[in-house]
Amino acid sequence: MCKIFVVAVAFVALAMSQVNARPDAYDAAAETREFKSDLKEDGSYNYQYQTSNGIAVQESGVGGHYATGSSAYYAPDGQLIQSSYVADENGYRPSGAHLPTPPPIPVAILKALEYIRTHPHQETRQGQGRFF
């Protein structure tokens, strides 16, 4: 019985090593299946490409001003990872189910921020100078 268990564990370990090795070999042989790119005189552009291993990317925008895009690929565990983003005067804002999100702001902090908003700082109080 012990020998059967050891052999079974060896087969499982071998199978897992093959599963974990497959994405690298598969990705190394990937080819570009589609590629499109367009750059206009006004600085606007768009591009997209797809590969044989399931990667798909697209982006459009105006150089130096804003961009929007999305990407999709398969993680080594087979899960489809999809993300999108916007980059503009408000910064880079990615979104995707796989990205971490910040915890909610505690109620006490929200109350303090509201108090600060509704009670603006007085620049100079009677008999006192400015403090920073």
Side-chain angles (χ1 to χ4, degrees):
M1 183 69 170
C2 184
K3 289 180 186 178
I4 294 172
F5 177 75
V6 170
V7 170
V9 168
F11 278 121
V12 169
L14 178 62
M16 291 303 292
S17 70
Q18 294 302 313
V19 167
N20 290 335
R22 184 177 182 275
D24 292 333
Y26 184 66
D27 289 344
E31 297 177 357
T32 302
R33 290 202 171 155
E34 178 184 353
F35 179 81
K36 294 179 183 177
S37 178
D38 186 28
L39 176 60
K40 297 182 180 165
E41 288 185 26
D42 65 357
S44 64
Y45 67 92
N46 63 60
Y47 69 85
Q48 65 183 30
Y49 63 87
Q50 293 182 353
T51 64
S52 60
N53 61 345
I55 297 172
V57 175
Q58 70 85 27
E59 180 177 294
S60 62
V62 175
H65 297 284
Y66 69 88
T68 60
S70 64
S71 64
Y73 65 93
Y74 289 94
D77 65 359
Q79 178 184 3
L80 177 61
I81 304 295
Q82 296 177 308
S83 61
S84 60
Y85 58 89
V86 174
D88 58 17
E89 67 275 0
N90 297 313
Y92 175 73
R93 297 179 312 279
S95 62
H98 66 292
L99 297 175
T101 57
I105 299 172
V107 174
I109 299 297
L110 290 173
K111 286 181 180 179
L113 291 171
E114 180 61 19
Y115 179 84
I116 291 169
R117 187 185 69 76
T118 58
H119 296 83
H121 178 70
Q122 294 178 347
E123 290 295 320
T124 306
R125 296 189 180 188
Q126 186 177 12
Q128 298 178 354
R130 273 179 86 155
F131 294 98
F132 292 102

